[in-house]
Structure formats: structure tokens, C-alpha cells
Amino acid sequence: MGSSDDAPLPTAPEPARVRAAVESEPPGTVVWHRADLRISDHPALAAAAAESERILPLFVFDPAFYDERGAACDARIEFLHDCLRDLDRQYRDVDGAGLTYAHGDPLDVLGRFDDAGWDVVAAATPTGRYGRRRDERARERLGVRFVEGDGLVRDADRPRDGWSDHVESWLAADPFDWDPRSVGVEGVETGVDPDRASDAYGVDPTKTRVPTGGRGPARDRLRAFTERIAEYPGSISSPVDARDGTSGLSPYLRFGCLSVREVHRHVDERAPDGRGKSMFVSRLFWNRHYAQKLLDWPGWLDRAVNPVYEGFNRDRHDPDLVAAWKRGETGFPMVDASMRCLRETGWLNFRMRALCASVYFHVLQQPWRIGADHFHEHLIDGDPAINYTQWQSQCGLVGRPGLRLYDPRKQVRDQDPGGEFVTRWVPELAPLPAAHLDAPEKTPLAVQRDVGVEIGADYPYPVVDYEAARSEFRERYGAVHGAAAARLGDEAIARRASLSGGIAGARSIAADHGEPTGTGAGDGPAQTGLDDFG
């Protein structure tokens, strides 16, 4: 973030303003919005409206979100601010006072309402690190009630038992509803709003092609995507086709402008049957699947889910290799184009995310969390429940068989044969014939001279030898995979892995692939199913 000459915002609203809001009438219920920025299908809002005659919708600009703990690029913060402006309009459209904006430590802000006699509710949502500790403190110190309703299983001994049936029932259920005419939507003047927060914290987004946040734009995208959903299967892999061929809904789901259930119902009722519809609906299930993982074990953000892989690659940490990967200067054009696209636009399609994670961990052999944190910082749709669980799964830190090692050269040939994506983001390679874009370092010197591109000067040679690095990783990973698979037989590890097959599925993997002694390095690749993936 940039710097600002403005004084830091004070904690707001002031206690006197909160007390004034209840002087003439009994207190009501504060609806604390966090990442659920809508008024439809909102469990906490519906509960508050059913139990109180007065509600006060509140969003707190938390200083922690704007410093390094928030790990969010300015473009994602500005997208959030768009969503807040839209949420304010939603409340005003039902003749309410709008959204009350506050600033400060959320517990300090909520404490002022609690002192004035207001109840506080919020939608229960899985989170990690700072957010989880914040919610625990809010529940313990202030009695904040977190209302369930996101389709996830809580307080169950084995949450994965019958999980798919549970989610299907939730998706088919009626949305949470409330009648704005039956409740007063109150507000408190605080002098804080998204514009002032941006100014105070020097928010200066520089990314391009970032969508506008809010429920209105989200609904427009949903309608447009539903009309062309038949094209979805053929659009998801190519980074060029995926830009407009996928739904573009992920940042809106991340901030709760639409609920997963709303999206499912719209697609189920209005999209034509076919492969596109079924594939997209399966992605909505995966959205809940990864959220369930984080709910089951918040450690996904910080620790390898399988203890055998804790610290894997740590002894090979090379800041120069990490920096080259972040800058998009690895010498692997599809990786470099993807990393530059991520930094410039805050978006990548799933296959390119998987490719970059694979090359980072399997080829450059660097510690996974540094890469995962970098993605989370730059992605507009950065959702910890999806980003970190996907990173661990792609790196192979769970212990399942079937690890996928993406070949960055094959991805150029398969997903960008004409070089449109590579040359858009790596323009120094634009003069090269497309046939050489998968491995520029192999371009004959005569061709380099003819087109005016010198590999090693205008564009780097690969920072590692791909074949040697891949072989080395296979040996290292295969040597310990048997021990890792065996650990899935431990119930505590099986629970944190939160596999779709539940504890029984984890134990089956341990029985079929586990080697408790950790031996078998020589035939590790055959046992673990390591493949170059295209």
C-alpha cells in the first residue's frame, strides 16, 4: 500500500453515538458483516430480523486487514470496498439506514455496542490465523453469536460421514429470508466510509482488468455465464479462453456478494442440462469441500497436513529462485507469463495456478508456504480455504497417491500453441516463432539472430535444469511417501486431511500405500503415481 498524509482513523463510532442510538428505544441486534456482503440468503441477518425489532448492519475497517497481517494487495482491498458500497445500497433499497461503517479493533468496536445493550450476531465462516483468533475472542469476551448456515458440518465427530448428501440437501433448501418491513434497519454516523479508509491507509490499486465488486456486478456475471455455460468445459484449461470462458464469480463468492446456494439455484433452474452445467455444479461442491477442510483443521494455512512433509524443501530455500519465480523470470515461458499475469491482474485460471505451484515446489524445490502466501496476496479471489488447501494438495503434502507434476513446456504446446498468452505477458519473446516458445533456450542461434532475440540476455535461460530437478524431486519425494501414506492411518492425521472419503478413505490409503519404515526410495515414483501432467 502507498503512504498517506492523513492521520490514522480513530476508533469509531464513539461510545456516545452508540448510546444515543438506543436512548429512545430498547437496544436491538448488530449484524456484523465480514465476508458475507449481501442481504439475501444471509443466516445471521435472517436470525437477527426474526428475533429483534431493530437491527444495525455493521462493517468494521480493521487495521489488521490493511497491514502485513491482511496479506492482501490493494486491488483486492478496493474490490472489497466496492462490495461494501454495494451492500450499503442494498440496505438503502429496502428503506433502511444503510450500512454502518466503523473503524478499529473489531472487539473494541463491538464492545461499545455490547456495553450499550446490543446483541451481536455474525455468519459463521471458516477462517484462519488472525480471523480465527478474532472470532474466538469475540465469542468469549462479548458473547457474539455466530449463526451457521453455510452448508458446512460443525460439531460432528466425523464431519465427512454423509457429507455429500448433507451439502446436496443444503443446496436444495430454501434460502434464509427476512422481511425488511418487519424490522427497523438502524445506523450510526461514524464519519468513516470506504473512500476515507482508502485515503487513510494509502490504498492505491495498480492491477488491471480487475472486476468491479458488489452484488449487482455479480448477478450480471452469473446471468451472462449461465447463457454460455455449454462452452465452459472447453474454456477452463487455456489461460486465454478461461479469461472470458469461466464464470468469473470466484471473487464474488469469496466476499459473499452471492451465496454458493444462490449460484447453484440459478444455474440449476436456468442453465441447459449438459456437461457444462454438471462441471460447474461440481465446482460449487468443491468450494464447500475446501471450506470444510479449513473448518476441520485451521492448520492448513501454516503446517503441512502430513507431518512427514513438514519442512520439505526448507533446506533448499533459495531466495534468488523464489524471487525469479515471483517476477516471472524462471526461463519457463508459461510459468513466467502466468506469474506476470497474476501480479498485473490478480487472476489466473486453475490450471495455470496448478502449473506455477507445481514448478515452484517440484522443480524449483522451494518451501511451499512462501509460494502460497504470494498467491494469497495477489489473487483478487484470494480465499484462504481454497488457496492454501489447493497449494498443499498440489504440492503433495497430504500423502495421497497420484501426485501431478506439471511439465511447463508441455503446457505451452497444449494450452497456448500459438503463443498468444506467452507473448502477451513475456513480450521479449514475441519475435520468436511459436514453435520455439515452449523451450526458448533450444532455439537455434541462427534463428535468434534473425529475429533479434538473444536467450540469456533478452530472456533468461531456465534457472534450473528441468529434467535433473524433476528426477531429483521424484527420488526425494518417493523416498518418504510410504511413511507419509502410513501416517494417514493415524486418526488425528486423517481428521486434519479431511478427505472426501473420510477417515475410512484415509485408512485405505495407509493400508494400500503405507510403508511405516519410510523405505522404498528406489521404487517411490511407481508407488506414488508421479506423472508429468498435461
Side-chain angles (χ1 to χ4, degrees), residues 315-379:
D315 60 337
R316 295 167 181 266
H317 180 214
D318 184 334
D320 291 337
L321 281 182
V322 172
W325 177 79
K326 288 181 177 180
R327 292 194 307 264
E329 297 176 358
T330 67
F332 299 108
M334 196 62 132
V335 174
D336 293 341
S338 296
M339 294 304 295
R340 296 183 195 186
C341 178
L342 171 65
R343 188 174 65 243
E344 172 69 22
T345 71
W347 183 86
L348 278 177
N349 65 318
F350 173 78
R351 183 171 291 241
M352 294 305 106
R353 297 186 197 197
L355 166 67
C356 292
S358 175
V359 169
Y360 175 88
F361 192 77
H362 304 146
V363 180
L364 304 185
Q365 301 183 71
Q366 295 302 295
W368 75 275
R369 255 199 64 186
I370 298 172
D373 285 347
H374 181 75
F375 263 46
H376 184 62
E377 175 186 352
H378 284 279
L379 288 167

Side-chain angles (χ1 to χ4, degrees), residues 490-513:
D490 298 346
E491 183 161 337
I493 307 305
R495 286 180 179 276
R496 68 165 64 169
S498 191
L499 301 179
S500 57
I503 293 175
R507 287 175 173 166
S508 177
I509 291 173
D512 293 343
H513 301 275

Side-chain angles (χ1 to χ4, degrees), residues 242-313:
R243 170 65 71 171
D244 296 316
T246 52
S247 72
L249 291 172
S250 56
Y252 300 99
L253 292 173
R254 158 69 179 92
F255 286 103
C257 302
L258 298 170
S259 72
V260 171
R261 180 159 56 187
E262 286 181 300
V263 173
H264 179 271
R265 174 163 294 193
H266 183 94
V267 170
D268 184 56
E269 294 177 350
R270 305 191 184 192
D273 291 337
R275 185 164 174 251
K277 179 178 181 177
S278 61
M279 281 185 66
F280 181 74
V281 167
S282 73
R283 268 58 177 181
L284 298 178
F285 274 85
W286 281 109
N287 177 289
R288 295 296 81 196
H289 169 71
Y290 286 111
Q292 184 74 54
K293 282 180 174 292
L294 184 59
L295 178 65
D296 291 346
W297 188 59
W300 281 95
L301 277 65
D302 300 298
R303 298 161 52 197
V305 66
N306 195 309
V308 172
Y309 295 123
E310 187 66 35
F312 201 84
N313 284 347

Side-chain angles (χ1 to χ4, degrees), residues 17-329:
R17 289 188 179 275
V18 176
R19 289 193 299 270
V22 299
E23 284 180 350
S24 59
E25 298 182 65
T29 300
V30 171
V31 180
W32 179 24
H33 286 274
R34 292 98 52 76
D36 44 301
L37 306 181
R38 63 183 185 276
I39 67 172
S40 297
D41 197 22
H42 192 299
L45 175 56
E51 299 167 2
S52 301
E53 295 182 357
R54 307 170 68 202
I55 63 172
L56 186 144
L58 176 75
F59 181 86
V60 182
F61 293 102
D62 185 345
F65 188 72
Y66 292 85
D67 64 20
E68 65 277 2
R69 289 171 292 176
C73 65
D74 282 10
R76 184 156 90 238
I77 292 176
E78 187 56 35
F79 185 91
L80 164 67
H81 289 181
D82 286 341
C83 296
L84 294 173
R85 296 182 187 100
D86 189 277
L87 179 59
D88 178 65
R89 287 191 293 270
Q90 292 175 52
Y91 277 112
R92 295 182 187 279
D93 286 345
V94 295
D95 296 327
L99 181 64
T100 292
Y101 297 113
H103 174 265
D105 182 320
L107 268 70
D108 291 342
V109 172
L110 296 174
R112 296 179 180 186
F113 285 95
D114 181 66
D115 290 343
W118 287 72
D119 295 325
V120 182
V121 299
T125 184
T127 185
R129 294 179 183 163
Y130 171 79
R132 180 169 56 89
R133 296 190 297 271
R134 174 204 62 202
D135 289 357
E136 289 174 351
R137 289 164 51 223
R139 180 185 293 108
E140 293 169 359
R141 285 175 45 185
L142 302 174
V144 173
R145 181 161 60 99
F146 293 91
V147 182
E148 299 175 10
D150 53 6
L152 305 183
V153 177
R154 293 174 170 84
D155 301 322
D157 182 54
R158 297 194 174 189
R160 285 295 182 173
D161 289 353
W163 186 85
S164 293
D165 291 340
H166 169 83
V167 174
E168 283 189 11
S169 297
W170 174 76
L171 288 170
D174 291 335
F176 296 103
D177 198 9
W178 65 293
D179 184 356
R181 297 168 299 182
S182 67
V183 61
V185 180
E186 310 287 347
V188 175
E189 179 56 45
T190 65
V192 181
D193 61 28
D195 292 335
R196 188 167 180 201
S198 291
D199 291 342
Y201 285 101
V203 176
D204 183 22
T206 58
K207 294 189 188 306
T208 62
R209 301 193 67 176
V210 177
T212 301
R215 184 173 176 83
R219 290 168 64 91
D220 291 343
R221 282 181 177 263
L222 176 58
R223 285 191 290 264
F225 173 70
T226 303
E227 294 176 356
R228 52 180 169 78
I229 200 169
E231 304 168 12
Y232 178 65
S235 302
I236 60 176
S237 296
S238 163
V240 174
D241 296 341
R243 170 65 71 171
D244 296 316
T246 52
S247 72
L249 291 172
S250 56
Y252 300 99
L253 292 173
R254 158 69 179 92
F255 286 103
C257 302
L258 298 170
S259 72
V260 171
R261 180 159 56 187
E262 286 181 300
V263 173
H264 179 271
R265 174 163 294 193
H266 183 94
V267 170
D268 184 56
E269 294 177 350
R270 305 191 184 192
D273 291 337
R275 185 164 174 251
K277 179 178 181 177
S278 61
M279 281 185 66
F280 181 74
V281 167
S282 73
R283 268 58 177 181
L284 298 178
F285 274 85
W286 281 109
N287 177 289
R288 295 296 81 196
H289 169 71
Y290 286 111
Q292 184 74 54
K293 282 180 174 292
L294 184 59
L295 178 65
D296 291 346
W297 188 59
W300 281 95
L301 277 65
D302 300 298
R303 298 161 52 197
V305 66
N306 195 309
V308 172
Y309 295 123
E310 187 66 35
F312 201 84
N313 284 347
R314 186 180 297 159
D315 60 337
R316 295 167 181 266
H317 180 214
D318 184 334
D320 291 337
L321 281 182
V322 172
W325 177 79
K326 288 181 177 180
R327 292 194 307 264
E329 297 176 358

